[in-house]
Amino acid sequence: MEEIALVLIIIILFGFVTCNDNSQVAIRSDQLGFDPSLEVIHLYEKQWPVGIAVSSTGRKFACFPAVLDELNTNNGSNNVYAVAELTDLYGETPYPNEEYNNPSGGAVDNSGPFPKTKGLSNNFLGVISLFIDIFDVLWVLDTGRVVSEGVTLDSSYGGPKLVSIDTNNDAVVDTYVFPTDVARPTSLFGNVRVDPFRRTAYISDSTPTRDNAIIVVDLRTGDSWRTLARDFSVRALPGFVAFVNGYPLYQVVTSPAGTPVGASFLTNGVDGVALSPEFETLYYVAPFGRTLYSVPTSLLRNPNTPATEIVAAVRSLGQIGVSADVTTDSNGVVYLGQNEQNVVQMYDPKTGFLVVVVDDTRINFVARFSLTANGSLYFNVNQFNRLPSIYSGEGPLGVDRRQTPYVLFKVDLPGNATKPDGS
């Protein structure tokens, strides 16, 4: 019996997990910790994912942002995709079709003195986040920027956009393009949430230039505006260093030619955004800070609300650890990653309590969440901390330390919770 127990311990230590089809797949993990309630749904072997969205019928969609990974940048001949439907444990199909995912000649405009990302409104370029509402409309957030030859290129008008797709017939419904004073050339749109009843979208601008804000879009008129611009609550903490898997996270600094020359603090601001079940409160977090904030959406929806009134209404809900995303369920509970402790946790606004939902060392960096009407929480784990643009404090700069597969996990929501329906 002792020999059998020893073998089981060794299997867990090396991160072998049992998938739905009972096959064993090696997934990168720390040395200790395993939660059998955590279900492996999809393994990404082809491209590096961030966003995930799951429909009421169980269709799953992921995005692969070229603004964070040059291997996702379309050069006109490499057949990469920005958005895909996940068809089985490994299968991925460009969505809504190949044409939308393949800009003619690639995503980079080399016609001027300096390369920049093309301003294409009918092609996906740098899709970084997805959200699916209760009507199964998929909202695709394209920040309109890509990495080319080690340099993150500026966007062009028409590239940054919000696209809605009816997943019931796979048809593009609307495309919202942002003016250049809302989506600036150096803006880095991070995440989106949509109130389908008030026809309003909320988008985070997490640009590392500290010009952070919450973008509000009136989906009836197409008008958009920046709120909480440069407020302390939407910016990264100065000098902040996160520790994931025991290693510090720094930003690799490159020369104008894209050559790694040093490292500095990560300064990306507000990224994760979420709406309360009745859509009256916006929750938000910056991935390089430790605080959860909230603000009433009624103030954000009015473009004439004085900035001082909005700032005065912001509430700090306390320290929640390092999280890149946030979402809410029908009970009003807020879910967050805790990337320094390999957990997904939940925060109850009624009590202020922070409780662990699942603790598993395969959870190295939670990228995005998606809730479903049948009470499941899906999330992508993507080794963001091991990107070539991130330095772990040792070894050479600019090295890609990721190891496939990246993973889509699922866990049941506690308390019979489901996806909020706005009621």
Side-chain angles (χ1 to χ4, degrees):
M1 292 298 294
E2 292 179 354
E3 290 81 3
I4 294 174
L6 179 60
V7 170
L8 290 175
I9 291 172
I10 292 173
I11 289 174
I12 293 173
L13 288 179
F14 280 89
F16 286 92
V17 299
T18 300
C19 299
N20 302 342
D21 62 352
N22 293 321
S23 64
Q24 289 190 328
V25 181
I27 297 172
R28 180 176 180 82
S29 68
D30 272 352
Q31 293 298 306
L32 298 173
F34 180 83
D35 190 326
S37 69
L38 194 58
E39 186 177 352
V40 175
I41 300 300
H42 185 79
L43 298 171
Y44 301 92
E45 292 278 9
K46 301 174 184 177
Q47 292 183 223
W48 183 75
V50 171
I52 182 66
V54 183
S55 75
S56 65
T57 61
R59 297 179 69 182
K60 303 168 188 67
F61 308 92
C63 66
F64 308 85
V67 68
L68 297 176
D69 184 2
E70 186 167 359
L71 297 177
N72 287 335
T73 299
N74 192 300
N75 64 16
S77 61
N78 55 357
N79 296 316
V80 297
Y81 36 80
V83 180
E85 181 171 5
L86 311 181
T87 55
D88 55 35
L89 186 63
Y90 292 98
E92 299 166 7
T93 302
Y95 189 82
N97 51 53
E98 290 188 4
E99 289 73 23
Y100 239 90
N101 285 272
N102 280 287
S104 178
V108 179
D109 179 3
N110 289 301
S111 62
F114 301 102
K116 59 182 178 179
T117 311
K118 290 180 178 177
L120 301 174
S121 60
N122 293 319
N123 290 104
F124 293 144
L125 302 165
V127 175
I128 196 167
S129 187
L130 306 173
F131 175 75
I132 199 160
D133 64 29
I134 62 169
F135 302 111
D136 279 344
V137 174
L138 179 68
W139 296 88
V140 181
L141 180 63
D142 191 339
T143 195
R145 300 182 68 192
V146 303
V147 178
S148 179
E149 297 184 3
V151 177
T152 304
L153 305 182
D154 288 355
S155 67
S156 302
Y157 176 76
K161 54 189 173 290
L162 181 64
V163 179
S164 62
I165 303 173
D166 187 346
T167 62
N168 296 296
N169 57 19
D170 301 324
V172 174
V173 179
D174 288 303
T175 299
Y176 300 88
V177 175
F178 300 92
T180 54
D181 62 339
V182 174
R184 292 158 182 176
T186 56
S187 288
L188 179 62
F189 286 177
N191 213 336
V192 60
R193 291 292 186 266
V194 175
D195 177 348
F197 300 106
R198 295 183 180 87
R199 300 288 295 161
T200 306
Y202 303 88
I203 295 169
S204 58
D205 185 347
S206 59
T207 175
T209 63
R210 300 189 185 276
D211 189 16
N212 307 113
I214 300 294
I215 312 298
V216 182
V217 187
D218 185 332
L219 299 173
R220 296 162 298 183
T221 65
D223 293 338
S224 57
W225 54 92
R226 299 173 69 89
T227 67
L228 287 171
R230 292 181 171 269
D231 183 65
F232 177 83
S233 68
V234 298
R235 297 171 67 176
L237 285 177
F240 181 81
V241 179
F243 287 80
V244 177
N245 292 164
Y247 293 93
L249 270 60
Y250 297 99
Q251 178 70 54
V252 172
V253 177
T254 60
S255 69
T259 303
V261 295
S264 65
F265 297 114
L266 283 154
T267 56
N268 295 71
V270 59
D271 191 6
V273 290
L275 292 165
S276 61
E278 73 288 349
F279 306 119
E280 293 293 346
T281 300
L282 182 76
Y283 298 100
Y284 58 97
V285 293
F288 303 114
R290 303 183 190 277
T291 304
L292 175 66
Y293 293 96
S294 70
V295 66
T297 56
S298 59
L299 300 179
L300 305 182
R301 291 195 302 270
N302 183 356
N304 298 315
T305 304
T308 52
E309 186 176 347
I310 297 175
V311 170
V314 170
R315 294 291 177 265
S316 170
L317 303 179
Q319 300 286 303
I320 47 83
V322 176
S323 183
D325 198 19
V326 57
T327 193
T328 55
D329 69 16
S330 56
N331 294 331
V333 170
V334 181
Y335 296 84
L336 309 109
Q338 217 302 26
N339 294 320
E340 291 182 313
Q341 296 181 4
N342 309 111
V343 305
V344 171
Q345 55 191 354
M346 61 182 188
Y347 169 84
D348 188 343
K350 298 175 184 176
T351 65
F353 290 163
L354 193 64
V355 179
V356 171
V357 178
V358 59
D359 183 350
D360 193 300
T361 54
R362 291 169 294 171
I363 304 174
N364 53 71
F365 200 98
V366 177
R368 293 288 183 263
F369 292 110
S370 183
L371 278 74
T372 62
N374 65 356
S376 295
L377 176 66
Y378 291 79
F379 56 96
N380 275 336
V381 169
N382 70 353
Q383 301 175 45
F384 170 89
N385 53 303
R386 300 176 67 84
L387 279 167
S389 59
I390 303 298
Y391 184 55
S392 61
E394 63 179 27
L397 295 167
V399 173
D400 191 344
R401 296 176 172 86
R402 296 170 294 175
Q403 297 176 12
T404 57
Y406 316 113
V407 191
L408 171 61
F409 287 113
K410 182 182 82 169
V411 68
D412 292 336
L413 292 170
N416 297 316
T418 66
K419 184 185 185 75
D421 61 6
S423 59

